[in-house]
Amino acid sequence: MKIDIITCLPEIFDGPITQSIVKRAQKKGLVEICIHDLRPFSDNIKKSIDDYAFGGGAGMVMMIEPIDRCISYLKKKTPYDEIIFMTPDGERLNQSMCNKLSLNKNIILLCGHYKGIDQRVRDHLITQEISIGDYVLSGGELAAMVVTDSLVRLIPGVLNDESSALTDSFQDSLLAPPVYTRPAVYKGWEVPKILLSGNDAAINDWRYEAAIKRTKDKRPHLLD
Ligand code: ADE
């Protein structure tokens, strides 16, 4: 899978995509993540990528030209399945969207900033709009990182234990059951005995029941 991220703040990505599972996935050649700075695609001397809103009002608006140029440049080399704009008024991300998105070969994540983006970008250049929740971030970069991380861990071969993405919370509309590790007793707080029994069938039953209980307690709407 290839993920191209278009941003006016490329440095923000230095940490998250060079660590942990995402780093390993790139090293293994399972995903290619490329960060593209929008500014060089501006044709004015100051390399600005935003301008005042027509009709007035506070806040700058991201211009269509640099974005169109950047997307056209990328499209010359790669056929994209989706060109996704990160925005708080997009479709809210959930696990089933992540599963679907992870099946794509090539995607672009476009990060918004400032007051907004020229509506013509949304009308003509992108194929999907995604929000990571009903709150407003200062830019789409953190949201693009969330999408990237959630997709990369679903790519076959990325996680060491192939089954572990499948047992994540939300994969079967249930939250994941509690997990424990050594010591079996800490300050008198004990691990459920069944998990120490070695009886795989009984442990699976316990985990299933525990997942249902946790879902009922914390997110009952998932059971609807
Ligand atoms: N950009 C700003 N806020 C956002 C959000 N909640 N989701 C996606 N992109 C955003």
Side-chain angles (χ1 to χ4, degrees):
M1 182 178 205
K2 183 159 187 274
I3 304 176
D4 286 291
I5 301 176
I6 302 175
T7 172
C8 52
L9 294 170
E11 295 83 7
I12 287 190
F13 292 89
D14 288 351
I17 67 163
T18 57
Q19 304 293 321
S20 184
I21 288 170
V22 178
K23 172 185 171 185
R24 219 171 45 224
Q26 291 175 96
K27 261 196 168 164
K28 281 187 184 171
L30 297 169
V31 66
E32 191 184 344
I33 301 170
C34 300
I35 310 298
H36 304 277
D37 186 359
L38 196 52
R39 272 180 210 285
F41 292 92
S42 168
D43 68 348
N44 62 44
I45 295 172
K46 286 186 180 163
K47 294 290 170 204
S48 55
I49 48 160
D50 60 325
D51 209 335
Y52 295 101
F54 279 132
M60 304 295 273
V61 177
M62 285 177 77
M63 296 186 292
I64 188 168
E65 286 153 302
I67 296 170
D68 187 26
R69 269 197 218 109
C70 182
I71 291 176
S72 302
Y73 163 80
L74 294 176
K75 273 173 135 181
K76 270 186 205 138
K77 295 183 287 182
T78 309
Y80 290 99
D81 304 302
E82 299 287 351
I83 300 177
I84 300 165
F85 176 48
M86 304 310 307
T87 173
D89 59 9
E91 187 181 355
R92 201 158 54 186
L93 188 69
N94 60 27
Q95 190 62 44
S96 80
M97 281 165 75
C98 294
N99 293 346
K100 241 184 254 164
L101 285 170
S102 74
L103 301 175
N104 288 319
K105 255 181 92 70
N106 304 298
I107 61 171
I108 289 178
L109 302 178
L110 170 62
C111 305
H113 243 264
Y114 309 107
K115 179 78 184 160
I117 198 163
D118 191 307
Q119 181 60 34
R120 290 167 293 184
V121 171
R122 302 175 74 162
D123 292 343
H124 303 289
L125 302 182
I126 61 157
T127 62
Q128 202 177 345
E129 300 185 331
I130 293 181
S131 162
I132 61 161
D134 291 345
Y135 42 83
V136 179
L137 302 164
S138 5
E141 282 76 12
L142 289 175
M145 284 177 215
V146 168
V147 170
T148 301
D149 190 283
S150 62
L151 299 192
V152 167
R153 63 197 307 288
L154 293 171
I155 298 171
V158 168
L159 297 184
N160 286 335
D161 174 359
E162 287 281 358
S163 68
S164 95
L166 298 175
T167 56
D168 282 344
S169 281
F170 305 110
Q171 278 297 8
D172 46 10
S173 297
L174 288 180
L175 300 182
V179 292
Y180 300 86
T181 186
R182 286 184 289 180
V185 183
Y186 180 71
K187 291 186 176 176
W189 302 323
E190 290 183 20
V191 167
K193 293 227 165 25
I194 189 80
L195 297 177
L196 312 175
S197 69
N199 181 339
D200 287 344
I203 290 171
N204 281 341
D205 287 348
W206 180 89
R207 286 190 169 141
Y208 182 63
E209 291 305 322
I212 290 178
K213 180 176 181 325
R214 182 176 267 189
T215 310
K216 255 187 204 157
D217 291 347
K218 292 175 177 258
R219 301 286 184 86
H221 71 276
L222 290 173
L223 296 170
D224 293 345

